[in-house]
Structures are given as C-alpha cells and as structure tokens.
Amino acid sequence: MDQLLYYLELIFLLSSSISNYCRATDLFTLLGWLYILFLSLCILGWSRLRPPRNTPMFSYPLSVFNLFIFLTLQLSRVAYAQSPDKDTTSIQSAGEATGAAPLPTSASQEVTVISGTTTTTFRPIFTVPTEAGIGKPVLPNINDPNATDAQTVCPGYTATNVKRTDYGLTASLNLAGSACNVYGTDIETLNLTVEYQSADRLAVRVVPAYIDASNSSHHILPTTLVHQPTIDADAKSSILTNDLSFTWSNDPTFSFSVYRQSTGDPLFSTQGNKLVFENQFIEFASALPEEYNLYGLGETIHGLRLGNRASAVAPANFTKTIYAADIGDPIDYNIYGSFPFYLDTRYYEVNSSTGNLTLVTSNDTNATSEYIAYSHGVYNRNAHGQEILLRPTNITWRSLGGSIDLYFYAGPTQPKVTTAFQTSAIGLPALQQYFTFGYHQCRWGYANWSVLQEVVDSYERFGIPLENIWTDIDYMNQYRDFDNDALRFNYSEGEIFLSNLHASGRHYIPIIDSAIYVPNPENASDAYPTFNRGNDTNSFLTNPDGSTYIGEVWPGYTVFPDWLGSSAGPWWTNEMVTWHNRLAFDGAWIDMNNPVHPPFLLPGEPGAVIYDYPEGFNLTNATEAAAAASASSSQKAAASTAGASSTMPNYVRTTPTPGVRNVNYPPYVINNVQGDLANHAVSPNATHGGVGGIEEYDVHNLFGFQILNATYNALLAAIPGKRPFIIGRSTFAGAGKWAGHWGGDNTSLWAYMFFSIPQALSFSLFGIPMFGVDTCGFNGNTDEELCNRWMQLSAFFPFYRNHNTLTAISQEAYVWASVAEATRTAMSIRFSLLPYMYTLFYLAHNTGSTVMRALAWEFPDDPSLAAADRQFFLGPAILVTPVLDQGATSVDGVFPGTARNGEIYYDWYTLAPQSNTTGNVTINAPLGHIPVYIRGGYVIPTQEPAMTTRDARKNPWGVIAALSSEGAASGELYVDDGESVVQNATLFVTFTASNNALHATAQGSYNDTNPLANVTVLGVQNPVMSVTLNGKDVGKEGVKYNESSKALLVTGLKGMTGGGAWKEDWVLRWS
C-alpha cells in the first residue's frame, strides 16, 4: 500500500507541476518562469526533500506546495474572470458577413483597471483587434457636396387606372419618364391604395405592383411582426364624419394631399415634389407651415419640439435618422429605438367677430386674443433605415427600403391622436406590477452578493426606500447569459440573498444581453449548454452561405438569436425558465439588443480613465476640477497623437447595379451615428431563416422589438401568473405593450438631466410610459449638486433608477448627506402619489392616455407652450418644475391656464394656492427642494409612505381634493393585487367634489381593508366649523382649517372606516 501511495504521489508531483506551470504562464509569463526556477532548485535538493518510504501521502514538501499553488491559481482565475469591454466588436472584415469566424484558443491580452489609487489586474482575455471593428468610411448623403438630388433627375410617377372603392380608391402608378436609378433600381409600376379606415384615420399605401418571394422582405413588413391598422368594423358609417380628405393630381407628376376639412388646411401635401421609389431608396416630401411644431420621430436626444428654429437644443435643418445604433447617447443623432411617428400641432387665432381662423407661426401670443389648436399624427409603418429631413418649409422622408405605408390621425387633440395611434397601430402599454414604481439601484461594478447586501443595508440604515437592486454584467459567469459567476455570484449564496431580499419586500433585476457565447469546440471545459441548445435548434443568425454568423460581445465570440425563426422564441423561454429555477429574479433588463458589437477600452483602463465631471464642478471643487482637467487633457492628447492621420478618408461610394441590392453599402448613405451600417452592429447581410432568408438590412430596427416580445413570453413561463417586468434598450413602435425603456448610457451632465424630460415626453407619444433615465448620469463622474437635483427630478418619472459606470465615483443616494435628505423628501412625495401613478398606468393600459405630459398637451390652446419642455405634468394633476441649472437656487416656471381659464395651483408643501401666476414666475428652490404643485380641479388618492411598496400598500389611505376656482374637483383610483396578469377582482373608485362635499363611489369586488386616515381639501374659502362622514360628525379634534393656506385637514377617520376606506361609498361634508 505504501508503495502505491509513493508512486501516486510521484504522478501527482509530475501532473501538478505541469498544470501549475501552464496556469501560471496563462496568468503572467514571468510567473511561469519563476515556477520553473523553483522546480529546478527542488530537483537539485531532491535527496534532502525525499521522505522515508513508509510516510503517508503528501509528505513531500513539494507536494504540499504544489497543492497550495494549484488552489491559489484556480481561485485567481475565477476571481479575475472579467472581460474588458461592455459592448461588442464586429469580427467580419469591413462589416460583411462572409462566413464563420475562427474561434479563440488562447488568451492574448492583459487588462488593468485603475480606480482612484488602486490598480487591479484582471485575467488575460482573448480580444479581436480593434481595427476589425472599424467600418469603412462613408459620407452621409446630406453632407456630401457631390451627392445627386433625386428630385432633379428622377421622373416621378403618373397615376392611372384610378378606381373608387367603398373606403377610398386604388390606382396604378407608372414611371413618368426614363428611370433615374439614382440610389437603386427604379420600380416601374406601383400600386396605390387609399383607405378611410375609421372616423379619424386615413391610410395611404404605395407598394411595388409585383411582389413575390424574391422581393417580399425588401418591401413588405409582415403583419406578424408589426401590426398593420385595418378598416374598422363600423367604417362604412363612421368614415362619413372623418375630418380628413384625400386628393391627388398628375400635374406635373403624381402627388397627393391630405386636408383637414374643418379648417381647409393641407396637413400633408407632396405637391411640387416627385415620388422616388427604388429598390433601395424611397423619397417623398410634404410642405409644412412656417415655424411648425412637430414632436416625436425617435429615438434621439433632442428638445421636445422639432421645429425649424435654430436654438441650443433645436438646430435648424435638423435631420432625424432612424437606425438602431449602439452609442452612448450623443445629442441629435440616432440612438437605440425606431419610432417613425410624429405629432403636428398647429395654432390658430380666432377672430372674435367672424370666427375665422388664422394660422399662428410664432410662439409670441397676445394676452387678449383667443387661440385654438388642431393636432394630427403621421405614422410611416416602415422598419428600414430612414432619414427625416426637417427643413424650413418641408419635411422629406427617405428610406433605404420597404414601402410607403402612411397613417394619418385626425385628432384634433394630442390625447385623441395618441389614443388612436395606440389602439389602431401599436397596442396599449403594459400595466406594470406595483413594485416596479419603487426605487431601483444599480451600477456597473457591484462585485458580489456581499456588496449587494451592503448596498441594501445602507439604504435601510439611511432611511431611504429601496425597492429593487440590480446587477450589471458583473454577476455573469465570464459574461455569459443565463449563468452566474461561481465564486462571486454563486447560486447557493444567491438563494440566501434573494430569500432575505424577498422577505423584506424587495426585488432583484439582472441584466441579460442579446448575444450568446460560442464555446471553443477544441476545449471540452469551455462547454456552454445554452449555446448548444440554441445551435441544435437553429436559433441563431447565419451568414449568406448558411454558416453561423459570429460576432464578439462581452464573453468573446458570440452568436445572435434569429427572432424571425420559429425556434429562437421557445429556446429563449427554456433558457429563462431554467435559469430562474436556480435564481429567483423578478424581471429582466434587456441590454445590447440592437444587436451590436464594438471594441473599446474598459472604463478605468489607461487611456479611458474617467476624469469628467458635470458643468460647474470647477466652481464648487476648484482644486479637484483643475487636476482632473489637466489629466484629461493629457489623456486626450495621447489618444489624439496615437490616432492622428494626415490622409483624407477614401469614402466608399456605391454605384447601383440594376436589379441587385448592395445591403452592406447601399448607394444612399443615411446619417447613421456609427457611419458604416455594420459598425457596432450585426452586418446587414446576416441572414434570418438560413440561406435565402430575410437579410438583417430589412429588419435591423426590429431586433430589439422582437427580443422584448420573446422575453415577455419567457417571463410569463418563468414567473407564471405575474406581469412581466422588462426594461429594454432598443425599441420599436409597439414595444410598450411588453416593456419599458430607459434612456441609455447618458452622461453626468446638467444638459442630460434636462434632456431626460423631452425624452420621457417623446416616449409618452410612442406608447412607452414606463420610462426613466440613469439618474445622476451613467458616464463620467457626477457630483453632489447634480445628483441632489437629479434624484429629486427622477422621483416623478415612472421608472426611477440610479445607475453608473465602472470606476466612476459612487453615486448611491446615501453617498452625500444632502443627496440623502433630498431623496428622502422626494421619495416621500412619490410614495404618497403611488396610488395616483398606478391609476394613471391603469388608464394608459386601457385607454391609451399618457402618464407624463407636456404642458402644451394639457393646455392645447396656448401657443406659448409649444416648446415648453423644462416642466411637465404627471398625469393631469401634478405640475413639476425642477431646477435644471448648476448653481441655481430658484427656477422660472409657468402656471398654465391661470389667466385664460382661471386655473389654480396649490403648493405641495404649504398647501396654499400659488399667488403669483402671471407669465414666467421665479420660484424659490434652494438645493434639496423641487417645486411641486397640485392643479385645482383634481382629487388625488394617496397612501402613507413606507420603505417598500409592499408595506406602503398596507398603510391607511388619504385623499387630497384640490378645488378649482368653481369649488369643484374630480379624480379616480384603481386598486388590484398589483401583480397578476389576470385579475380575480378589481376596484375602481370615483371621486367628485362640489358644494362643500366630497363623494367617493366604488365599483368592483377587490377587498382592500386599509382604512381612510385623512382627507385634505384645498381651496376652502371659508372657515369650517363641522365635518361629517356619511352623516356622522367627525369631531372638532379631527378638523383643522388653515386660514392663510385655505386648507382643510380632516383626520381621525380610521375608526369610522375600519372595514376599509372603500368598503362602502361615502360623502364627506364640511360647513
């Protein structure tokens, strides 16, 4: 036996020495050579190290040492298993998918991250050379002085064979001359279909006359992917009242116009512009009135109004590009989402004598004049890359393919346009679970479960409500979807963490990327079952030759799900369910779903150290700002020198080939923020459905849309019966019925805090009310003042999350004392308003109404509000006026409707009516205070705040009735269990106040047992001597009237409503 142990130990010595050498070299070459030197010394002193034959196993000192070294190296590999980039890199040459890429077999790069004075070296990782992800230089057509203007060379079309139908007309459109083939091959014959589809909707479609399997995906967007509005069942009768009228002309070539009959104005007219329709280029244009007011056309960081006036946030001659891109929120360029929809609002001055209307082309208004607004909507149902050119007198629409599939919505108000758009075209937004309206905390860099627990405990310790803790890619096993790092985020510790988290009423949301790691087939230990199952079911995109399309994202070489195929959805569901069985997460954060892939330095690496701070940081932190500015300048200079080039780029210009599409480099170059369509993106000729399938070029903008749909279905299976909670990055018109959206990788700047407001309002138009941004900023370092203001502002957004980048300074709400206090103040208001906010979402889910609202939408007859985007309404009743400028201790705001309509606004904090409401009012707003007002005429249900929404839902109710100048108010409350997809019981309460009485009438069977604690009535003009509830006297001790604020506070109602505030209808009267 001893002899056997002796030889076993010799074998162990040999194998462990070889293994240790390989692993040491893998970590650091010099370390491997040092180990060889140590072995040599051991061999020279072998006789002294050799023990007697009868000693037990592992008696050699070298054996013990090897065992120690082996375990240490193993732990090092796990602990440092981090990857250097947070996005992806294309590995196809020049952005073309030509075949499967070779897989990595060894490490080749060491990554160092610098944070403050600490330097951390991560494990070596295989990376694709940076140049592999650099696309060819392309020059956008709008910037190309040599570009051909299609209007000058193309012949246009002539309408023939025009036939009336029950709902409109049909016609053939034929080229009116020789084909121009300027940016593709002209389509000789087109079909025109015009349909009056409902009382407020008109459809105009232009498609090629000859469609078959070879070109269908080039022009036809399947209704199975994106819903297409159709004729309403009652259209024959309802269209008789349609305010829209369609006309057409062949003089000099085909054009059409859509008029509003009630005003006689053309809403959309191509007269004077030629229709261009090629296999890779479509152009049509419409005249617009002077100083127009357009909104929408996302996704872009921009002011709310898309007019043609030049300003700091709205440059003249603005071009909106629609192409899903991977980019960190640049201003005025295309980013993640695709929304080819706009709202057009036109103001008219009413002649008091004749009633005639005169179009207003300026925001300057006359206080004595009467105005009226008419709004309409335009939706182009097209998923291809597009440009919308906003010029002083017209709007020009250009597309890289598809068809013209236009829908005109008559309105005539924003609410009517938005409701019609959602109910007919994109669907109604999802009703979120109640917990999702709590506060969310995340950052890139939470290292393990213990760190997460410390964050949760810190929020509790500082008395700041925390509902949801998130993890960025740190939790993943080598950044692979559906698997956790075995050391830092192992499942056993995760089960304990989540059990405690859920017991406290909190939730956990992990990030999930769209790309799936491709394991090395030559390394059995690199197995990844998620890939294998997807590969076995043909769930991934392919190259044109049928081979698997391979890119590079976080984990290394990756593949991308083919959502157009039949197998990717079930495979995704299976992976989600399997993972959820091991880790009980509560929702999904879908990132990198453009799909994308670029190489860049990890934040904190040499050359990417974060030195950026908000505007004005130099005024409050001069020494630190100076040091950061100096270091930043040096870093930028080094980067500039390294990347400098004296040669002019040799731009790619493609000449059209008749009948052939060049999808990688289309002849017309849109103004894509990344230039080359394949840069930071899957190549346009990647294929869905295998050889001969649909090319990525035709559906690129739908990838994010489809993964959100797949995730929605997967969460229904993983967490049965509960509404899926999803926040996605890349979206398309209609994504709101499955998911919410966050504003992407913004920057810790005051400018981005401002832009969060028009972003949110735009997504209200797009049917995605569950919107928020990375509060305090994602990129760069924030500072105390900015974070103070931003934490308060975001408290009034539906999705409320703080999130920032790796190696930037910490920015949790408790980091600064002033931010903690400001956050507690704002969260107290938010929690009080949660029943109101939840009701707003219920109404949005059922009627298509909006949650966050522009001032112009609530007061449509005031032209001065057309560009107002520094204030907003939360629903109809809450006006928020945040401070958006560094160093400011006051803010200018308006109180809409006070002069014309007699509107009243009550200060949330003092309950008093705002006294000065004329013009632009300067409001006192020291740091830590966000001005919030309750609009008169509305009743708001409230609930006492708590540390979680679960506990808040158990607290007593309150009601705030803010009386109008006529002494009236109304409101609503929706109550259910807050989570179920299908409700067994619901409750809807209607409030009305008038004649010194507040009525509450409930319908539904949901049993809410929380009592009514208090009622606050604002705007009570005379002292109150007595209050009764359903005829019973409340008692003087429960009645307080403030003479100065004119506020009545009624307390002590719990005992009178012990069975529940809404168990029976009630009337509160005061006299």
Side-chain angles (χ1 to χ4, degrees):
M1 184 65 181
D2 292 340
Q3 186 81 0
L4 177 61
L5 292 175
Y6 173 80
Y7 286 109
L8 283 175
E9 187 160 5
L10 288 179
I11 293 172
F12 171 79
L13 276 171
L14 179 62
S15 61
S16 64
S17 297
I18 295 173
S19 176
N20 285 346
Y21 167 73
C22 293
R23 294 180 186 278
T25 304
D26 193 42
L27 280 173
F28 191 48
T29 304
L30 181 59
L31 187 62
W33 287 109
L34 289 174
Y35 182 75
I36 290 294
L37 178 62
F38 174 78
L39 286 181
S40 301
L41 294 174
C42 287
I43 293 172
L44 291 175
W46 179 260
S47 59
R48 295 184 181 182
L49 292 172
R50 185 174 58 195
R53 288 286 183 95
N54 59 353
T55 54
M57 182 74 169
F58 293 115
S59 56
Y60 283 86
L62 180 59
S63 296
V64 178
F65 180 81
N66 269 3
L67 184 61
F68 171 77
I69 292 296
F70 177 83
L71 294 175
T72 299
L73 291 172
Q74 281 293 98
L75 290 174
S76 298
R77 289 171 64 85
V78 175
Y80 297 144
Q82 299 197 32
S83 196
D85 70 70
K86 193 175 190 296
D87 280 329
T88 54
T89 298
S90 175
I91 59 164
Q92 270 64 43
S93 174
E96 296 187 25
T98 56
L103 298 178
T105 57
S106 63
S108 63
Q109 180 180 348
E110 186 173 281
V111 178
T112 301
V113 171
I114 301 173
S115 179
T117 58
T118 303
T119 301
T120 303
T121 301
F122 297 110
R123 68 172 176 84
I125 30 172
F126 183 91
T127 57
V128 173
T130 300
E131 58 270 17
I134 299 176
K136 292 180 179 179
V138 294
L139 182 63
N141 181 278
I142 62 171
N143 299 328
D144 187 351
N146 299 318
T148 301
D149 180 3
Q151 291 296 313
T152 64
V153 298
C154 293
Y157 287 81
T158 300
T160 61
N161 195 29
V162 180
K163 296 180 180 178
R164 290 184 179 274
T165 68
D166 290 342
Y167 302 100
L169 61 85
T170 62
S172 295
L173 303 180
N174 302 292
L175 277 177
S178 300
C180 60
N181 298 328
V182 60
Y183 295 117
T185 302
D186 282 20
I187 307 299
E188 291 187 5
T189 305
L190 306 170
N191 286 338
L192 167 69
T193 302
V194 178
E195 292 176 342
Y196 291 89
Q197 295 187 332
S198 71
D200 61 358
R201 185 174 71 255
L202 171 68
V204 178
R205 300 192 193 105
V206 180
V207 300
Y210 305 104
I211 295 290
D212 58 23
S214 67
N215 68 348
S216 177
S217 65
H218 304 175
H219 300 288
I220 304 301
L221 181 56
T223 57
T224 54
L225 295 181
V226 177
H227 177 72
Q228 185 176 46
T230 56
I231 298 172
D232 285 3
D234 63 348
K236 280 193 176 181
S237 58
S238 66
I239 62 176
L240 299 176
T241 62
N242 197 312
D243 197 24
L244 302 178
S245 174
F246 177 90
T247 64
W248 66 276
S249 171
N250 274 337
D251 184 17
T253 61
F254 172 76
S255 63
F256 72 89
S257 300
V258 176
Y259 288 85
R260 184 183 295 281
Q261 297 186 71
S262 57
T263 64
D265 283 347
L267 304 185
F268 197 95
S269 176
T270 66
Q271 181 69 37
N273 297 282
K274 297 173 184 175
L275 170 63
V276 182
F277 203 118
E278 300 177 337
N279 64 348
Q280 285 195 267
F281 180 73
I282 298 172
E283 179 177 281
F284 57 98
S286 169
L288 284 175
E290 182 183 355
E291 304 290 3
Y292 49 81
N293 304 294
L294 263 59
Y295 311 88
L297 297 176
E299 180 181 9
T300 305
I301 306 296
H302 188 81
L304 177 64
R305 180 182 176 276
L306 306 178
N308 58 2
R309 299 182 189 91
S311 70
V313 295
N317 291 338
F318 179 44
T319 297
K320 277 273 193 174
T321 302
I322 296 180
Y323 192 78
D326 169 50
I327 192 71
D329 282 15
I331 295 171
D332 288 344
Y333 281 93
N334 56 302
I335 49 176
Y336 319 107
S338 304
F339 296 92
F341 167 86
Y342 70 79
L343 176 78
D344 183 340
T345 297
R346 303 182 184 184
Y347 296 94
Y348 300 84
E349 185 173 359
V350 182
N351 187 304
S352 58
S353 301
T354 65
N356 292 337
L357 304 180
T358 303
L359 183 67
V360 176
T361 58
S362 171
N363 288 126
D364 296 329
T365 58
N366 188 324
T368 62
S369 296
E370 179 186 353
Y371 299 93
I372 188 172
Y374 287 87
S375 293
H376 67 274
V378 179
Y379 171 47
N380 185 25
R381 184 178 167 274
N382 187 312
H384 281 77
Q386 300 169 57
E387 278 182 348
I388 300 92
L389 284 65
L390 300 172
R391 298 299 183 257
T393 60
N394 70 353
I395 178 172
T396 300
W397 217 300
R398 294 172 178 170
S399 172
L400 297 183
S403 63
I404 299 173
D405 195 2
L406 290 168
Y407 299 86
F408 298 91
Y409 295 89
T413 64
Q414 172 274 323
K416 289 187 176 181
V417 170
T418 302
T419 294
F421 176 47
Q422 293 182 24
T423 54
S424 70
I426 64 173
L428 295 163
L431 178 59
Q432 301 292 334
Q433 292 192 57
Y434 204 92
F435 83 80
T436 64
F437 299 108
Y439 174 67
H440 304 253
Q441 180 61 53
C442 182
R443 83 159 293 169
W444 182 14
Y446 287 152
N448 51 48
W449 292 122
S450 297
V451 171
L452 288 188
Q453 187 62 59
E454 176 59 28
V455 173
V456 174
D457 292 345
S458 294
Y459 272 96
E460 186 79 30
R461 186 167 61 253
F462 283 92
I464 303 171
L466 173 67
E467 186 81 19
N468 307 283
I469 189 74
W470 295 47
T471 49
D472 208 308
I473 59 175
D474 312 274
Y475 79 87
M476 294 179 175
N477 173 20
Q478 301 178 78
Y479 303 121
R480 304 177 186 187
D481 276 354
F482 309 119
D483 196 13
N484 280 37
D485 184 280
L487 180 66
R488 296 176 295 109
F489 285 92
N490 64 71
Y491 292 111
S492 58
E493 290 183 28
E495 184 177 359
I496 296 171
F497 171 80
L498 292 179
S499 177
N500 294 332
L501 189 75
H502 290 149
S504 71
R506 296 180 172 93
H507 304 83
Y508 167 66
I509 315 294
I511 193 172
I512 302 171
D513 287 335
S514 64
I516 301 299
Y517 174 66
V518 180
N520 185 349
E522 299 178 7
N523 182 356
S525 66
D526 197 35
Y528 182 38
T530 289
F531 167 81
N532 295 338
R533 289 188 287 265
N535 196 48
D536 291 344
T537 54
N538 298 317
S539 296
F540 304 130
L541 289 179
T542 63
N543 292 302
D545 63 4
S547 60
T548 302
Y549 179 92
I550 298 176
E552 194 227 0
V553 195
W554 287 106
Y557 285 118
T558 55
V559 291
F560 300 88
D562 177 7
W563 303 116
L564 270 63
S566 61
S567 58
W571 161 79
W572 188 258
T573 295
N574 177 72
E575 300 310 311
M576 192 80 76
V577 171
T578 301
W579 188 40
H580 189 268
N581 289 338
R582 305 186 70 184
L583 192 75
F585 53 87
D586 301 289
W589 171 21
I590 303 298
D591 193 15
M592 309 299 294
N593 59 329
N594 297 71
V596 301
H597 38 84
F600 58 76
L601 295 172
L602 192 71
E605 287 182 16
V609 178
I610 297 175
Y611 296 117
D612 299 325
Y613 286 90
E615 310 95 317
F617 184 72
N618 59 310
L619 302 177
T620 56
N621 300 268
T623 302
E624 187 176 355
S630 176
S632 178
S633 296
S634 299
Q635 181 170 267
K636 290 177 180 177
S640 177
T641 301
S645 174
S646 59
T647 60
M648 290 293 291
N650 184 20
Y651 292 116
V652 175
R653 285 185 169 88
T654 302
T655 301
T657 301
V660 178
R661 297 197 310 168
N662 187 333
V663 296
N664 288 315
Y665 297 98
Y668 183 85
V669 181
I670 62 173
N671 190 33
N672 178 28
V673 65
Q674 294 289 2
D676 187 335
L677 296 182
N679 195 26
H680 287 234
V682 163
S683 180
N685 70 339
T687 306
H688 297 258
V691 177
I694 297 174
E695 291 179 297
E696 173 70 8
Y697 177 90
D698 297 313
V699 292
H700 171 79
N701 288 334
L702 295 177
F703 189 96
F705 177 74
Q706 292 171 295
I707 193 176
L708 295 178
N709 185 11
T711 303
Y712 184 89
N713 294 326
L715 286 179
L716 283 175
I719 315 175
K722 292 187 178 181
R723 304 167 204 159
F725 173 53
I726 308 167
I727 295 295
R729 188 171 82 160
S730 182
T731 50
F732 187 84
K737 58 182 172 284
W738 304 310
H741 174 62
W742 97 102
D745 294 346
N746 62 1
T747 303
S748 296
L749 294 171
W750 290 84
Y752 279 94
M753 181 169 67
F754 154 68
F755 279 121
S756 69
I757 298 174
Q759 269 189 288
L761 296 175
S762 294
F763 273 85
S764 292
L765 294 178
F766 301 151
I768 305 182
M770 192 61 174
F771 178 88
V773 298
D774 284 347
T775 302
C776 300
F778 176 77
N779 287 310
N781 295 305
T782 191
D783 67 5
E784 182 176 0
E785 183 185 1
L786 176 61
C787 204
N788 186 306
R789 295 297 192 187
W790 210 333
M791 284 297 293
Q792 291 205 313
L793 169 60
S794 287
F796 298 91
F797 281 47
F799 178 51
Y800 185 16
R801 186 183 74 163
N802 182 315
H803 176 229
N804 69 325
T805 191
L806 184 68
T807 76
I809 65 173
S810 295
Q811 61 184 41
E812 290 81 9
Y814 51 75
V815 170
W816 297 278
S818 75
V819 177
E821 182 59 31
T823 301
R824 283 189 289 265
T825 298
M827 281 197 188
S828 178
I829 303 173
R830 179 185 179 88
F831 266 76
S832 296
L833 290 173
L834 283 181
Y836 170 73
M837 187 181 292
Y838 190 67
T839 301
L840 290 174
F841 264 80
Y842 167 77
L843 295 173
H845 174 66
N846 283 274
T847 69
S849 60
T850 53
V851 176
M852 287 182 67
R853 304 179 182 182
L855 273 59
W857 304 343
E858 285 297 300
F859 295 89
D861 297 335
D862 186 351
S864 69
L865 300 176
D869 56 8
R870 296 176 69 88
Q871 298 172 265
F872 61 91
F873 279 98
L874 181 61
I878 299 296
L879 175 64
V880 182
T881 307
V883 173
L884 301 172
D885 298 308
Q886 190 276 328
T889 56
S890 64
V891 58
D892 291 341
V894 296
F895 294 90
T898 53
R900 298 177 185 276
N901 308 328
E903 295 280 345
I904 300 176
Y905 293 87
Y906 300 92
D907 189 300
W908 175 273
Y909 306 93
T910 68
L911 305 182
Q914 175 69 18
S915 56
N916 180 12
T917 59
T918 304
N920 217 5
V921 180
T922 298
I923 305 165
N924 188 43
L927 190 65
H929 177 76
I930 181 169
V932 179
Y933 298 89
I934 306 171
R935 182 178 169 191
Y938 291 91
V939 178
I940 299 174
T942 65
Q943 234 167 344
E944 294 178 9
M947 292 296 287
T948 64
T949 60
R950 180 198 66 181
D951 294 342
R953 281 173 61 89
K954 300 175 183 177
N955 284 342
W957 291 94
V959 176
I960 301 173
L963 301 180
S964 67
S965 56
E966 291 80 23
S970 62
E972 300 143 320
L973 168 66
Y974 172 75
V975 185
D976 63 13
D977 69 9
E979 62 179 21
S980 298
V981 175
V982 178
Q983 290 292 325
N984 293 322
T986 63
L987 188 70
F988 195 83
V989 184
T990 302
F991 302 101
T992 56
S994 63
N995 300 320
N996 293 352
L998 173 64
H999 298 254
T1001 306
Q1003 292 181 314
S1005 58
Y1006 183 81
N1007 184 26
D1008 182 280
T1009 59
N1010 299 316
L1012 179 66
N1014 56 74
V1015 174
T1016 303
V1017 186
L1018 308 181
V1020 178
Q1021 298 305 310
N1022 300 308
V1024 174
M1025 305 307 294
S1026 91
V1027 176
T1028 62
L1029 183 67
N1030 280 350
K1032 296 180 180 179
D1033 186 49
V1034 172
K1036 292 184 178 181
E1037 65 279 2
V1039 178
K1040 293 182 180 180
Y1041 177 76
N1042 189 306
E1043 182 70 35
S1044 62
S1045 66
K1046 305 297 183 184
L1048 169 64
L1049 175 61
V1050 183
T1051 59
L1053 301 176
K1054 293 181 183 178
M1056 305 177 73
T1057 56
W1062 326 117
K1063 187 174 183 180
E1064 59 181 33
D1065 297 346
W1066 51 258
V1067 181
L1068 185 93
R1069 299 184 185 275
W1070 59 93
S1071 60

